[in-house]
Amino acid sequence: MKWIILALLAAGCAHGIRNLSDCGQVQAADRKVECGACTVQNKADGLLGTYEYRPDAADGQRCVRVK
């Protein structure tokens, strides 16, 4: 089950990465840092909102606030 979820995320499904630990699946090293900077905001327990990292976003906005 876990590998199916990872495959969907890697394929660029509608949902992004919300956990810092999942940033390891991002291919490019500079994007891993960008992913970490985006998702670490979720550790503030909702004070900043909830952010998703979307590596294949068409509009270029890879760090998106969802709540």
Side-chain angles (χ1 to χ4, degrees):
M1 177 75 173
K2 194 179 238 185
W3 65 272
I4 293 173
I5 293 170
L6 291 175
L8 289 174
L9 286 174
C13 66
H15 298 286
I17 299 169
R18 291 188 184 183
N19 295 319
L20 182 62
S21 61
D22 295 334
C23 287
Q25 68 189 0
V26 177
Q27 298 300 319
D30 60 332
R31 295 270 177 103
K32 288 181 184 181
V33 172
E34 186 178 64
C35 176
C38 179
T39 56
V40 77
Q41 298 176 82
N42 294 335
K43 297 296 181 184
D45 295 325
L47 295 175
L48 300 175
T50 302
Y51 288 83
E52 280 185 352
Y53 182 75
R54 299 178 181 170
D56 297 324
D59 61 357
Q61 292 290 344
R62 290 185 285 270
C63 188
V64 179
R65 186 174 183 193
V66 292
K67 281 188 188 177

